[in-house]
């Protein structure tokens, strides 16, 4: 497939291409342009026209365009799911869920485009400005660059794409290098809407090259990126040169706490789903650290091992598969190395942990200490470490003792424990009696510390992708008393 710059489906200026391969089989799915700085700068230049045109595009047109994209995605859902499964390797069941979420997200932002309200402020709070009034509305930021990770590309991009366009910006998308094809396909749907020329462009290629060029570009007002914390830091530093707004949704090492009043069998099912059979273990908010209160620790470990043994690992296109491959062999080797480090640090590997190509068999660790790397670092693959605890304060302290703070989950029937967790855990969302691997598009999603610097969600993103502009009229009512008399 080609990329879309200036309204044309193009190759890279230097004709470079990159291969897109099926992570499960190694099969070549397609090639895309490997864009460079010249392509990025061309897109930024065209986006200046797109920005002007979008600023004059009424909300009802933006609404209708996003609704029509949602309808196209819905119509082509099975085709898109098949394409995404081939390039991304998630199970078909998971991918159908992702496509369904993207449809809801496009519709949600379409509706929200009609709710960009402003406010009117009387100025009689200030001596001398008694006759004044001001009105403040939200205006688009201008050109937004969306940088998308590989794991849930369609769903995560939907927030950035529909959000930016609903708010009246021009958008340039940098899709993940491993799996850009579904986003290219949906970009074709966007190009057929009534949105103006250059409202949306998509530039494929390697992040450090074309992504970095977009981040540096002076004609870009905002970068909305989801990905690893290391990349987020590099982007924030590069963007500082031009003082552009940066919204970062980054890594996580989410904790789940099981209190002693939890049913071990039900909790084990939830943990295994939230760690192994969602996204093949590659989710920012997956169950990455588990704390189990001592009285149920042995029962939970036994139930987790039973559930893990029942998982079916293999072809993601087979509807009975629970766990597919990691995105690349490099990613699988990295997880293999993290598992080996856990063993060398003294943790006990009680299940799985073997690599075969891009596949890792779901791994369970016991005997883990909170200071081990297997516990402290984000592992982007199917690895589940279990740690016992005694007192609530110990569990909360270990959860907060992390460079990340995306989500945390608490399993308990006790309301006081729930409220205490909500107040004391330093994370963006506390989930109750459900694993952390959940995102609801209408809620503000995002984390504290190394997990990012904002919240993304249908309402929040629209505010984020606009800025306030005020009309200040100090003497608006001067003379109006006489007129009324
Ligand atoms: P990544 O950081 O390697 O890549 C993310 C995107 O950034 C890709 O499109 C990549 O091409 C681009 N990129 C890389 N270097 C760049 C640079 N210097 N300048 C501009 N762009 C650059 O992440 P990944 O491996 O695709 O995704 C996995 C990570 O994403 C994990 O850490 C995971 O926790 C995180 N993630 C977070 C969320 C969230 O909402 N918080 C959601 C999904 C994934």
């Amino acid at each position: 497939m080609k990329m879309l710059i200036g309204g044309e489906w193009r190759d890279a200026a230097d004709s470079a291409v990159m291969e897109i391969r099926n992570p499960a089989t190694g099969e070549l799915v397609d090639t895309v342009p490997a864009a460079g700085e010249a392509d990025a700068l061309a897109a930024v230049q065209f986006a200046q026209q797109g920005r002007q045109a979008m600023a004059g595009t009424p909300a009802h047109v933006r609404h209708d365009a996003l609704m029509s994209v949602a309808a196209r995605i819905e119509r082509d859902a099975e085709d898109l799911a098949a394409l995404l499964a081939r390039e991304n390797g998630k199970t078909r069941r998971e991918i159908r869920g992702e496509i369904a979420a993207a449809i809801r997200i496009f519709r949600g932002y379409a509706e929200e485009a009609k709710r960009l309200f402003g406010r009117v402020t009387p100025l009689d709070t200030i001596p001398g400005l008694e006759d004044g009034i001001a009105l403040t509305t939200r205006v688009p930021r201008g050109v937004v660059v969306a940088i998308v990770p590989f794991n849930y590309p369609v769903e995560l991009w939907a927030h950035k794409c529909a959000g930016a366009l609903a708010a009246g910006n021009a958008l340039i998308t940098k899709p993940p290098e491993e799996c850009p094809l579904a986003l290219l396909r949906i970009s074709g749907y966007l190009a057929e809407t009534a949105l103006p020329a250059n409202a949306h462009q998509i530039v494929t290629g390697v992040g450090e090259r074309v992504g970095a060029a977009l981040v540096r570009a002076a004609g870009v007002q905002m970068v909305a990126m989801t990905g690893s914390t290391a990349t987020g830091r590099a982007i924030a530093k590069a963007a500082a040169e031009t003082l552009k707004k940066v919204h970062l949704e980054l890594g996580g090492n989410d904790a789940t706490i099981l209190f002693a009043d939890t049913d071990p069998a039900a909790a084990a099912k939830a943990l295994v789903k939230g760690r192994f059979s969602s996204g093949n273990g590659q989710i920012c908010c997956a169950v990455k650290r588990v704390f189990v209160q001592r009285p149920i620790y042995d029962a939970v470990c036994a139930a987790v091992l039973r559930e893990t043994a029942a998982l079916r690992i293999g072809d993601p296109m087979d509807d009975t598969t629970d766990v597919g491959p990691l995105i690349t062999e490099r990613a699988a080797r990295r997880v293999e190395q993290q598992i080996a480090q856990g063993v060398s640090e003294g943790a006990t590997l009680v299940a799985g942990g073997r690599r075969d190509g891009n596949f890792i068999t779901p791994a369970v660790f016991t005997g883990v200490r909170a200071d081990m790397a297997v516990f402290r670092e984000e592992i982007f693959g199917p690895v589940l470490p279990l740690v016992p605890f005694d007192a609530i304060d110990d569990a909360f302290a270990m959860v907060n003792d992390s460079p990340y703070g995306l989500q945390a989950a608490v399993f308990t029937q006790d309301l006081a424990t729930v409220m205490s967790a909500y107040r004391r855990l330093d994370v963006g969302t506390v989930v109750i009696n459900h694993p952390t691997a959940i995102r609801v598009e209408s809620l503000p999603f995002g984390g504290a510390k190394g997990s990012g610097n904002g919240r993304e969600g249908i309402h929040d993103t629209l505010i984020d992708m606009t800025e306030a502009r005020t009309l200040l009229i100090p003497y608006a009512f001067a003379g109006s008393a006489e007129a009324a008399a």
Side-chain angles (χ1 to χ4, degrees):
M1 289 174 93
K2 299 192 179 200
M3 60 185 175
L4 184 64
I5 296 180
E8 275 176 33
W9 293 96
R10 296 192 184 187
D11 294 316
D14 63 2
S15 305
V17 293
M18 51 203 271
E19 294 183 338
I20 307 304
R21 291 194 172 269
N22 182 328
T25 61
E27 152 217 22
L28 180 67
V29 182
D30 207 336
T31 59
V32 295
E37 180 152 20
D39 303 294
L41 294 180
V44 172
Q45 191 137 21
F46 283 115
Q48 307 313 312
Q49 299 160 13
R51 169 192 180 168
Q52 294 296 333
M54 278 296 280
T57 301
H60 65 83
V61 173
R62 307 194 309 261
H63 164 276
D64 292 353
L66 296 177
M67 281 295 194
S68 73
V69 171
R72 275 299 296 276
I73 298 175
E74 193 163 45
R75 199 187 79 192
D76 297 350
E78 273 304 302
D79 270 5
L80 278 169
L83 179 63
L84 184 55
R86 281 176 74 206
E87 63 173 335
N88 169 283
K90 286 207 304 285
T91 61
R92 280 268 280 269
R93 198 179 46 221
E94 281 273 304
I95 279 180
R96 287 192 185 107
E98 177 175 355
I99 301 279
I103 295 166
R104 292 195 304 274
I105 292 167
F106 269 92
R107 291 194 173 128
Y109 281 100
E111 291 296 338
E112 203 66 14
K114 298 178 179 171
R115 297 182 194 127
L116 264 176
F117 303 127
R119 64 178 193 248
V120 173
T121 311
L123 300 183
D124 58 352
T125 50
I126 312 291
L129 289 183
E130 290 83 353
D131 286 330
I133 198 156
L135 68 88
T136 302
T137 60
R138 311 270 334 157
V139 298
R141 287 193 181 272
V143 178
V144 175
V145 165
I147 301 183
V148 186
F150 76 84
N151 62 337
Y152 283 76
V154 175
E155 178 177 349
L156 298 172
W157 175 66
H159 277 283
K160 300 178 196 316
C161 171
L165 298 174
N169 297 287
L171 177 69
I172 303 172
T173 297
K174 207 314 263 159
E177 47 240 55
E178 302 88 348
C179 46
L181 302 177
L183 301 198
L184 287 166
R185 178 81 61 85
I186 300 172
S187 298
Y189 308 162
L190 265 167
E192 289 170 15
T193 67
L195 290 178
N198 298 311
H200 179 244
Q201 303 173 82
I202 179 165
V203 184
T204 50
V206 173
E208 288 86 347
R209 195 161 167 245
V210 73
L214 289 167
V215 169
R216 281 194 305 269
V220 171
Q221 283 70 43
M222 176 172 179
V223 175
M225 176 267 190
T226 299
S228 64
T229 300
T231 303
R233 282 206 182 94
I235 287 175
K237 278 187 197 154
E241 275 300 314
T242 45
L243 291 180
K244 52 177 65 80
K245 161 111 180 148
V246 178
H247 178 109
L248 302 169
E249 298 283 337
L250 306 177
N253 200 8
D254 285 2
T256 294
I257 310 174
L258 306 183
F259 284 94
D261 60 351
T262 305
D263 170 26
K269 267 192 198 320
L271 294 177
V272 165
K273 175 155 191 349
R275 187 46 174 138
F276 297 142
S277 50
S278 303
N280 304 336
Q282 306 163 112
I283 307 193
C284 53
C285 55
V287 175
K288 292 186 185 145
R289 300 181 289 158
V290 182
F291 301 94
V292 189
Q293 210 162 20
R294 192 91 52 188
I296 59 165
Y297 181 74
D298 289 342
V300 168
C301 290
V304 163
L305 287 179
R306 275 197 304 278
E307 292 292 333
T308 304
L311 290 170
R312 297 169 76 108
I313 300 141
D315 180 2
M317 304 301 272
D318 178 341
D319 279 338
T320 64
T321 296
D322 298 301
V323 189
L326 298 198
I327 187 73
T328 55
E329 185 168 329
R330 187 160 155 257
R333 283 189 187 280
R334 164 93 181 118
V335 172
E336 181 183 38
Q337 177 238 316
Q338 289 175 300
I339 293 170
Q341 187 176 6
V343 172
S344 75
E345 285 180 325
T348 311
L349 184 64
V350 288
R354 285 179 315 281
R355 187 182 67 80
D356 179 8
N358 293 12
F359 289 81
I360 297 268
T361 51
V364 180
F365 272 110
T366 58
V368 179
R369 286 191 323 274
D371 62 334
M372 292 177 175
V374 71
F375 208 67
R376 297 197 66 76
E377 286 175 9
E378 176 181 37
I379 300 184
F380 219 53
V383 180
L384 182 69
L386 296 152
V387 173
F389 74 93
D390 293 301
I392 183 171
D393 286 350
D394 298 340
F396 285 0
M398 285 190 284
V399 171
N400 284 339
D401 182 19
S402 168
Y404 300 101
L406 190 52
Q407 308 213 98
V410 173
F411 282 68
T412 182
Q413 300 303 312
D414 180 52
L415 183 59
T417 303
V418 169
M419 299 317 290
S420 181
Y422 177 63
R423 182 170 279 180
R424 292 170 58 189
L425 296 180
D426 192 7
V427 295
T429 301
V430 177
V431 185
I432 303 302
N433 293 328
H434 187 286
T436 47
I438 181 170
R439 177 170 182 177
V440 177
E441 59 268 9
S442 50
L443 298 179
F445 183 84
K449 299 185 271 185
S451 291
N453 66 355
R455 298 292 180 269
E456 190 170 65
I458 284 171
H459 174 70
D460 299 78
T461 295
L462 223 70
I463 300 302
D464 209 38
M465 291 191 171
T466 53
E467 58 191 4
R469 182 175 294 165
T470 295
L471 182 69
L472 199 167
I473 314 176
Y475 307 115
F477 296 110
S480 63
E482 295 89 299

